[in-house]
PDB file of all heavy atoms in Angstrom:
ATOM      1  N   ALA A  11      -2.759   3.931  23.388  1.00 30.00           N
ATOM      2  CA  ALA A  11      -1.406   3.278  23.303  1.00 30.00           C
ATOM      3  C   ALA A  11      -1.689   1.874  23.021  1.00 30.00           C
ATOM      4  O   ALA A  11      -2.672   1.453  22.523  1.00 30.00           O
ATOM      5  CB  ALA A  11      -0.745   3.512  24.608  1.00 30.00           C
ATOM      6  N   ALA A  12      -0.720   1.089  23.369  1.00 31.00           N
ATOM      7  CA  ALA A  12      -0.679  -0.445  23.253  1.00 31.00           C
ATOM      8  C   ALA A  12      -1.497  -0.926  22.053  1.00 31.00           C
ATOM      9  O   ALA A  12      -1.056  -0.675  21.030  1.00 31.00           O
ATOM     10  CB  ALA A  12      -1.282  -0.897  24.588  1.00 31.00           C
ATOM     11  N   ASN A  13      -2.495  -1.719  22.411  1.00 30.00           N
ATOM     12  CA  ASN A  13      -3.054  -2.480  21.274  1.00 30.00           C
ATOM     13  C   ASN A  13      -4.318  -1.996  20.621  1.00 30.00           C
ATOM     14  O   ASN A  13      -5.153  -2.709  20.260  1.00 30.00           O
ATOM     15  CB  ASN A  13      -3.344  -3.924  21.861  1.00 30.00           C
ATOM     16  CG  ASN A  13      -4.298  -3.833  23.023  1.00 30.00           C
ATOM     17  OD1 ASN A  13      -4.984  -2.733  23.164  1.00 30.00           O
ATOM     18  ND2 ASN A  13      -4.377  -4.870  23.825  1.00 30.00           N
ATOM     19  N   ALA A  14      -4.497  -0.726  20.593  1.00 31.00           N
ATOM     20  CA  ALA A  14      -5.785  -0.255  20.211  1.00 31.00           C
ATOM     21  C   ALA A  14      -5.942   0.735  19.077  1.00 31.00           C
ATOM     22  O   ALA A  14      -6.528   1.704  19.143  1.00 31.00           O
ATOM     23  CB  ALA A  14      -6.500   0.346  21.482  1.00 31.00           C
ATOM     24  N   SER A 217      -9.660  -4.017  16.367  1.00 97.00           N
ATOM     25  CA  SER A 217      -8.431  -4.658  16.290  1.00 97.00           C
ATOM     26  C   SER A 217      -8.382  -5.923  17.177  1.00 97.00           C
ATOM     27  O   SER A 217      -8.967  -5.924  18.224  1.00 97.00           O
ATOM     28  CB  SER A 217      -7.268  -3.761  16.676  1.00 97.00           C
ATOM     29  OG  SER A 217      -7.208  -3.601  18.114  1.00 97.00           O
ATOM     30  N   THR A 218      -7.808  -6.970  16.579  1.00 97.00           N
ATOM     31  CA  THR A 218      -7.599  -8.154  17.354  1.00 97.00           C
ATOM     32  C   THR A 218      -6.103  -8.601  17.250  1.00 97.00           C
ATOM     33  O   THR A 218      -5.587  -8.582  16.230  1.00 97.00           O
ATOM     34  CB  THR A 218      -8.442  -9.398  16.822  1.00 97.00           C
ATOM     35  OG1 THR A 218      -7.933  -9.683  15.506  1.00 97.00           O
ATOM     36  CG2 THR A 218      -9.938  -9.115  16.757  1.00 97.00           C
ATOM     37  N   ARG A 219      -5.559  -8.850  18.416  1.00 96.00           N
ATOM     38  CA  ARG A 219      -4.145  -9.294  18.423  1.00 96.00           C
ATOM     39  C   ARG A 219      -3.845  -9.962  19.701  1.00 96.00           C
ATOM     40  O   ARG A 219      -4.581  -9.875  20.649  1.00 96.00           O
ATOM     41  CB  ARG A 219      -3.180  -8.193  18.143  1.00 96.00           C
ATOM     42  CG  ARG A 219      -3.293  -7.003  19.151  1.00 96.00           C
ATOM     43  CD  ARG A 219      -2.454  -5.818  18.648  1.00 96.00           C
ATOM     44  NE  ARG A 219      -3.002  -5.398  17.342  1.00 96.00           N
ATOM     45  CZ  ARG A 219      -2.927  -4.115  16.996  1.00 96.00           C
ATOM     46  NH1 ARG A 219      -2.370  -3.174  17.761  1.00 96.00           N
ATOM     47  NH2 ARG A 219      -3.395  -3.707  15.773  1.00 96.00           N
ATOM     48  N   LEU A 220      -2.656 -10.615  19.778  1.00 97.00           N
ATOM     49  CA  LEU A 220      -2.219 -11.201  21.025  1.00 97.00           C
ATOM     50  C   LEU A 220      -1.928 -10.102  21.984  1.00 97.00           C
ATOM     51  O   LEU A 220      -1.310  -9.086  21.576  1.00 97.00           O
ATOM     52  CB  LEU A 220      -0.948 -11.963  20.809  1.00 97.00           C
ATOM     53  CG  LEU A 220      -0.940 -13.419  20.282  1.00 97.00           C
ATOM     54  CD1 LEU A 220       0.419 -14.035  20.347  1.00 97.00           C
ATOM     55  CD2 LEU A 220      -1.895 -14.284  21.179  1.00 97.00           C
ATOM     56  N   LYS A 221      -2.371 -10.285  23.221  1.00 96.00           N
ATOM     57  CA  LYS A 221      -1.994  -9.315  24.277  1.00 96.00           C
ATOM     58  C   LYS A 221      -0.438  -9.336  24.378  1.00 96.00           C
ATOM     59  O   LYS A 221       0.097 -10.435  24.430  1.00 96.00           O
ATOM     60  CB  LYS A 221      -2.704  -9.685  25.552  1.00 96.00           C
ATOM     61  CG  LYS A 221      -2.497  -8.685  26.668  1.00 96.00           C
ATOM     62  CD  LYS A 221      -3.039  -9.194  27.942  1.00 96.00           C
ATOM     63  CE  LYS A 221      -2.595  -8.173  29.052  1.00 96.00           C
ATOM     64  NZ  LYS A 221      -3.097  -8.694  30.395  1.00 96.00           N
ATOM     65  N   ALA A 222       0.160  -8.112  24.468  1.00 93.00           N
ATOM     66  CA  ALA A 222       1.595  -8.121  24.570  1.00 93.00           C
ATOM     67  C   ALA A 222       2.123  -8.972  25.587  1.00 93.00           C
ATOM     68  O   ALA A 222       1.541  -8.938  26.816  1.00 93.00           O
ATOM     69  CB  ALA A 222       2.061  -6.620  24.750  1.00 93.00           C
ATOM     70  N   GLY A 223       3.168  -9.781  25.412  1.00 92.00           N
ATOM     71  CA  GLY A 223       3.832 -10.510  26.385  1.00 92.00           C
ATOM     72  C   GLY A 223       3.104 -11.904  26.659  1.00 92.00           C
ATOM     73  O   GLY A 223       3.475 -12.614  27.510  1.00 92.00           O
ATOM     74  N   THR A 224       2.012 -12.175  25.900  1.00 94.00           N
ATOM     75  CA  THR A 224       1.322 -13.450  26.130  1.00 94.00           C
ATOM     76  C   THR A 224       1.269 -14.205  24.792  1.00 94.00           C
ATOM     77  O   THR A 224       1.462 -13.671  23.795  1.00 94.00           O
ATOM     78  CB  THR A 224      -0.111 -13.230  26.658  1.00 94.00           C
ATOM     79  OG1 THR A 224      -0.914 -12.881  25.539  1.00 94.00           O
ATOM     80  CG2 THR A 224      -0.230 -12.208  27.773  1.00 94.00           C
ATOM     81  N   THR A 225       1.007 -15.512  24.954  1.00 93.00           N
ATOM     82  CA  THR A 225       0.842 -16.329  23.697  1.00 93.00           C
ATOM     83  C   THR A 225      -0.569 -16.906  23.718  1.00 93.00           C
ATOM     84  O   THR A 225      -0.853 -17.645  22.758  1.00 93.00           O
ATOM     85  CB  THR A 225       1.873 -17.490  23.653  1.00 93.00           C
ATOM     86  OG1 THR A 225       1.801 -18.206  24.865  1.00 93.00           O
ATOM     87  CG2 THR A 225       3.187 -16.968  23.431  1.00 93.00           C
ATOM     88  N   ASN A 226      -1.405 -16.546  24.635  1.00 95.00           N
ATOM     89  CA  ASN A 226      -2.783 -17.204  24.656  1.00 95.00           C
ATOM     90  C   ASN A 226      -3.886 -16.185  25.022  1.00 95.00           C
ATOM     91  O   ASN A 226      -5.042 -16.658  24.966  1.00 95.00           O
ATOM     92  CB  ASN A 226      -2.760 -18.330  25.650  1.00 95.00           C
ATOM     93  CG  ASN A 226      -2.565 -17.842  27.072  1.00 95.00           C
ATOM     94  OD1 ASN A 226      -2.104 -16.645  27.229  1.00 95.00           O
ATOM     95  ND2 ASN A 226      -2.816 -18.692  28.097  1.00 95.00           N
ATOM     96  N   THR A 227      -3.608 -14.983  25.193  1.00 97.00           N
ATOM     97  CA  THR A 227      -4.645 -13.988  25.481  1.00 97.00           C
ATOM     98  C   THR A 227      -4.856 -13.059  24.344  1.00 97.00           C
ATOM     99  O   THR A 227      -3.913 -12.507  23.796  1.00 97.00           O
ATOM    100  CB  THR A 227      -4.340 -13.216  26.752  1.00 97.00           C
ATOM    101  OG1 THR A 227      -4.284 -14.116  27.825  1.00 97.00           O
ATOM    102  CG2 THR A 227      -5.439 -12.229  27.046  1.00 97.00           C
ATOM    103  N   ILE A 228      -6.169 -12.949  23.877  1.00 98.00           N
ATOM    104  CA  ILE A 228      -6.439 -12.105  22.653  1.00 98.00           C
ATOM    105  C   ILE A 228      -6.920 -10.796  23.199  1.00 98.00           C
ATOM    106  O   ILE A 228      -7.851 -10.703  23.961  1.00 98.00           O
ATOM    107  CB  ILE A 228      -7.561 -12.757  21.855  1.00 98.00           C
ATOM    108  CG1 ILE A 228      -7.087 -14.177  21.434  1.00 98.00           C
ATOM    109  CG2 ILE A 228      -7.882 -11.913  20.699  1.00 98.00           C
ATOM    110  CD1 ILE A 228      -8.182 -14.947  20.752  1.00 98.00           C
ATOM    111  N   ALA A 229      -6.345  -9.698  22.750  1.00 98.00           N
ATOM    112  CA  ALA A 229      -6.832  -8.334  23.095  1.00 98.00           C
ATOM    113  C   ALA A 229      -7.643  -7.843  21.895  1.00 98.00           C
ATOM    114  O   ALA A 229      -7.219  -7.915  20.740  1.00 98.00           O
ATOM    115  CB  ALA A 229      -5.639  -7.455  23.320  1.00 98.00           C
ATOM    116  N   VAL A 230      -8.871  -7.345  22.174  1.00 98.00           N
ATOM    117  CA  VAL A 230      -9.779  -6.827  21.059  1.00 98.00           C
ATOM    118  C   VAL A 230     -10.213  -5.474  21.439  1.00 98.00           C
ATOM    119  O   VAL A 230     -10.575  -5.211  22.638  1.00 98.00           O
ATOM    120  CB  VAL A 230     -11.010  -7.742  20.929  1.00 98.00           C
ATOM    121  CG1 VAL A 230     -11.887  -7.235  19.809  1.00 98.00           C
ATOM    122  CG2 VAL A 230     -10.636  -9.246  20.740  1.00 98.00           C
ATOM    123  N   PHE A 266     -11.617  -5.678  25.118  1.00 96.00           N
ATOM    124  CA  PHE A 266     -11.785  -6.981  25.648  1.00 96.00           C
ATOM    125  C   PHE A 266     -10.473  -7.723  25.811  1.00 96.00           C
ATOM    126  O   PHE A 266      -9.534  -7.416  25.053  1.00 96.00           O
ATOM    127  CB  PHE A 266     -12.642  -7.831  24.743  1.00 96.00           C
ATOM    128  CG  PHE A 266     -14.026  -7.387  24.431  1.00 96.00           C
ATOM    129  CD1 PHE A 266     -14.136  -6.354  23.467  1.00 96.00           C
ATOM    130  CD2 PHE A 266     -15.078  -7.831  25.032  1.00 96.00           C
ATOM    131  CE1 PHE A 266     -15.406  -5.922  23.105  1.00 96.00           C
ATOM    132  CE2 PHE A 266     -16.372  -7.391  24.709  1.00 96.00           C
ATOM    133  CZ  PHE A 266     -16.540  -6.443  23.838  1.00 96.00           C
ATOM    134  N   GLU A 267     -10.419  -8.618  26.706  1.00 98.00           N
ATOM    135  CA  GLU A 267      -9.381  -9.630  26.759  1.00 98.00           C
ATOM    136  C   GLU A 267     -10.035 -10.984  26.887  1.00 98.00           C
ATOM    137  O   GLU A 267     -10.813 -11.136  27.719  1.00 98.00           O
ATOM    138  CB  GLU A 267      -8.415  -9.366  27.953  1.00 98.00           C
ATOM    139  CG  GLU A 267      -7.497  -8.184  27.638  1.00 98.00           C
ATOM    140  CD  GLU A 267      -6.443  -7.936  28.679  1.00 98.00           C
ATOM    141  OE1 GLU A 267      -6.270  -8.853  29.604  1.00 98.00           O
ATOM    142  OE2 GLU A 267      -5.767  -6.937  28.652  1.00 98.00           O
ATOM    143  N   LEU A 268      -9.645 -11.923  25.974  1.00 98.00           N
ATOM    144  CA  LEU A 268     -10.201 -13.246  26.031  1.00 98.00           C
ATOM    145  C   LEU A 268      -9.119 -14.265  25.963  1.00 98.00           C
ATOM    146  O   LEU A 268      -8.110 -14.156  25.234  1.00 98.00           O
ATOM    147  CB  LEU A 268     -11.074 -13.478  24.750  1.00 98.00           C
ATOM    148  CG  LEU A 268     -12.330 -12.644  24.560  1.00 98.00           C
ATOM    149  CD1 LEU A 268     -11.951 -11.418  23.641  1.00 98.00           C
ATOM    150  CD2 LEU A 268     -13.453 -13.363  23.991  1.00 98.00           C
ATOM    151  N   THR A 269      -9.210 -15.303  26.894  1.00 98.00           N
ATOM    152  CA  THR A 269      -8.208 -16.327  26.846  1.00 98.00           C
ATOM    153  C   THR A 269      -8.875 -17.675  26.536  1.00 98.00           C
ATOM    154  O   THR A 269      -9.470 -18.347  27.397  1.00 98.00           O
ATOM    155  CB  THR A 269      -7.521 -16.382  28.265  1.00 98.00           C
ATOM    156  OG1 THR A 269      -7.056 -15.070  28.632  1.00 98.00           O
ATOM    157  CG2 THR A 269      -6.377 -17.328  28.278  1.00 98.00           C
ATOM    158  N   LEU A 273      -4.900 -21.904  21.814  1.00 97.00           N
ATOM    159  CA  LEU A 273      -4.831 -20.972  20.708  1.00 97.00           C
ATOM    160  C   LEU A 273      -3.572 -21.357  19.818  1.00 97.00           C
ATOM    161  O   LEU A 273      -2.489 -21.301  20.207  1.00 97.00           O
ATOM    162  CB  LEU A 273      -4.623 -19.530  21.269  1.00 97.00           C
ATOM    163  CG  LEU A 273      -4.501 -18.425  20.218  1.00 97.00           C
ATOM    164  CD1 LEU A 273      -5.866 -18.296  19.463  1.00 97.00           C
ATOM    165  CD2 LEU A 273      -4.297 -17.020  20.949  1.00 97.00           C
ATOM    166  N   PHE A 301      -3.166 -15.087  14.978  1.00 98.00           N
ATOM    167  CA  PHE A 301      -2.510 -14.520  16.139  1.00 98.00           C
ATOM    168  C   PHE A 301      -1.013 -14.944  16.110  1.00 98.00           C
ATOM    169  O   PHE A 301      -0.741 -16.073  15.919  1.00 98.00           O
ATOM    170  CB  PHE A 301      -3.247 -14.936  17.412  1.00 98.00           C
ATOM    171  CG  PHE A 301      -4.597 -14.487  17.455  1.00 98.00           C
ATOM    172  CD1 PHE A 301      -5.691 -15.227  17.053  1.00 98.00           C
ATOM    173  CD2 PHE A 301      -4.825 -13.116  17.834  1.00 98.00           C
ATOM    174  CE1 PHE A 301      -6.937 -14.745  17.071  1.00 98.00           C
ATOM    175  CE2 PHE A 301      -6.168 -12.628  17.804  1.00 98.00           C
ATOM    176  CZ  PHE A 301      -7.221 -13.489  17.442  1.00 98.00           C
ATOM    177  N   ARG A 302      -0.133 -13.956  16.299  1.00 98.00           N
ATOM    178  CA  ARG A 302       1.262 -14.288  16.346  1.00 98.00           C
ATOM    179  C   ARG A 302       1.986 -13.145  16.994  1.00 98.00           C
ATOM    180  O   ARG A 302       1.389 -12.045  17.145  1.00 98.00           O
ATOM    181  CB  ARG A 302       1.852 -14.523  14.949  1.00 98.00           C
ATOM    182  CG  ARG A 302       1.530 -13.386  13.988  1.00 98.00           C
ATOM    183  CD  ARG A 302       2.744 -12.495  13.758  1.00 98.00           C
ATOM    184  NE  ARG A 302       2.357 -11.244  13.059  1.00 98.00           N
ATOM    185  CZ  ARG A 302       2.075 -10.196  13.738  1.00 98.00           C
ATOM    186  NH1 ARG A 302       2.121 -10.078  15.019  1.00 98.00           N
ATOM    187  NH2 ARG A 302       1.780  -9.086  13.027  1.00 98.00           N
ATOM    188  N   SER A 303       3.192 -13.376  17.586  1.00 98.00           N
ATOM    189  CA  SER A 303       3.884 -12.226  18.057  1.00 98.00           C
ATOM    190  C   SER A 303       5.115 -12.073  17.148  1.00 98.00           C
ATOM    191  O   SER A 303       5.646 -12.996  16.514  1.00 98.00           O
ATOM    192  CB  SER A 303       4.361 -12.501  19.486  1.00 98.00           C
ATOM    193  OG  SER A 303       5.239 -13.553  19.513  1.00 98.00           O
ATOM    194  N   ILE A 304       5.603 -10.803  17.046  1.00 98.00           N
ATOM    195  CA  ILE A 304       6.759 -10.553  16.271  1.00 98.00           C
ATOM    196  C   ILE A 304       7.573  -9.572  17.173  1.00 98.00           C
ATOM    197  O   ILE A 304       7.033  -8.592  17.655  1.00 98.00           O
ATOM    198  CB  ILE A 304       6.534  -9.982  14.913  1.00 98.00           C
ATOM    199  CG1 ILE A 304       7.723  -9.979  14.067  1.00 98.00           C
ATOM    200  CG2 ILE A 304       5.784  -8.630  14.930  1.00 98.00           C
ATOM    201  CD1 ILE A 304       8.189 -11.246  13.469  1.00 98.00           C
ATOM    202  N   ALA A 305       8.896  -9.839  17.286  1.00 98.00           N
ATOM    203  CA  ALA A 305       9.727  -8.960  18.155  1.00 98.00           C
ATOM    204  C   ALA A 305      11.172  -9.067  17.717  1.00 98.00           C
ATOM    205  O   ALA A 305      11.563  -9.964  16.945  1.00 98.00           O
ATOM    206  CB  ALA A 305       9.577  -9.453  19.519  1.00 98.00           C
ATOM    207  N   ARG A 444       4.059   3.815  16.182  1.00 98.00           N
ATOM    208  CA  ARG A 444       4.111   3.119  17.476  1.00 98.00           C
ATOM    209  C   ARG A 444       2.906   3.474  18.269  1.00 98.00           C
ATOM    210  O   ARG A 444       2.408   2.646  19.033  1.00 98.00           O
ATOM    211  CB  ARG A 444       5.415   3.494  18.205  1.00 98.00           C
ATOM    212  CG  ARG A 444       6.638   2.873  17.597  1.00 98.00           C
ATOM    213  CD  ARG A 444       7.802   2.802  18.604  1.00 98.00           C
ATOM    214  NE  ARG A 444       9.101   2.600  17.947  1.00 98.00           N
ATOM    215  CZ  ARG A 444       9.502   1.475  17.429  1.00 98.00           C
ATOM    216  NH1 ARG A 444       8.845   0.406  17.445  1.00 98.00           N
ATOM    217  NH2 ARG A 444      10.658   1.445  16.876  1.00 98.00           N
ATOM    218  N   ASP A 447       0.080   1.383  16.919  1.00 96.00           N
ATOM    219  CA  ASP A 447       0.252  -0.130  16.862  1.00 96.00           C
ATOM    220  C   ASP A 447       1.678  -0.471  17.379  1.00 96.00           C
ATOM    221  O   ASP A 447       2.660  -0.329  16.641  1.00 96.00           O
ATOM    222  CB  ASP A 447       0.067  -0.599  15.438  1.00 96.00           C
ATOM    223  CG  ASP A 447       0.310  -2.070  15.281  1.00 96.00           C
ATOM    224  OD1 ASP A 447       0.387  -2.754  16.375  1.00 96.00           O
ATOM    225  OD2 ASP A 447       0.365  -2.590  14.114  1.00 96.00           O
ATOM    226  N   ASN A 448       1.668  -0.948  18.575  1.00 92.00           N
ATOM    227  CA  ASN A 448       3.013  -1.395  19.088  1.00 92.00           C
ATOM    228  C   ASN A 448       3.290  -2.889  19.021  1.00 92.00           C
ATOM    229  O   ASN A 448       4.109  -3.504  19.610  1.00 92.00           O
ATOM    230  CB  ASN A 448       3.211  -0.922  20.553  1.00 92.00           C
ATOM    231  CG  ASN A 448       2.409  -1.711  21.501  1.00 92.00           C
ATOM    232  OD1 ASN A 448       1.512  -2.474  21.038  1.00 92.00           O
ATOM    233  ND2 ASN A 448       2.696  -1.584  22.784  1.00 92.00           N
ATOM    234  N   SER A 449       2.531  -3.554  18.136  1.00 96.00           N
ATOM    235  CA  SER A 449       2.590  -4.946  18.014  1.00 96.00           C
ATOM    236  C   SER A 449       3.308  -5.378  16.761  1.00 96.00           C
ATOM    237  O   SER A 449       3.383  -6.594  16.429  1.00 96.00           O
ATOM    238  CB  SER A 449       1.236  -5.640  18.011  1.00 96.00           C
ATOM    239  OG  SER A 449       0.543  -5.311  16.751  1.00 96.00           O
ATOM    240  N   ARG A 450       3.986  -4.433  16.079  1.00 98.00           N
ATOM    241  CA  ARG A 450       4.721  -4.786  14.880  1.00 98.00           C
ATOM    242  C   ARG A 450       6.128  -4.106  14.913  1.00 98.00           C
ATOM    243  O   ARG A 450       6.317  -3.170  15.759  1.00 98.00           O
ATOM    244  CB  ARG A 450       3.975  -4.401  13.611  1.00 98.00           C
ATOM    245  CG  ARG A 450       2.752  -5.212  13.352  1.00 98.00           C
ATOM    246  CD  ARG A 450       1.909  -4.813  12.225  1.00 98.00           C
ATOM    247  NE  ARG A 450       0.915  -5.726  11.898  1.00 98.00           N
ATOM    248  CZ  ARG A 450      -0.316  -5.789  12.376  1.00 98.00           C
ATOM    249  NH1 ARG A 450      -0.666  -4.887  13.324  1.00 98.00           N
ATOM    250  NH2 ARG A 450      -1.181  -6.693  12.023  1.00 98.00           N
TER     251      ARG A 450
END
Side-chain angles (χ1 to χ4, degrees):
N13 58 16
S217 78
T218 62
R219 59 190 57 150
L220 274 187
K221 183 183 174 187
T224 75
T225 52
N226 63 346
T227 298
I228 302 171
V230 183
F266 301 80
E267 283 187 9
L268 300 93
T269 308
L273 182 60
F301 298 98
R302 53 104 194 94
S303 67
I304 191 79
R444 290 202 199 282
D447 178 9
N448 73 347
S449 71
R450 290 176 169 87

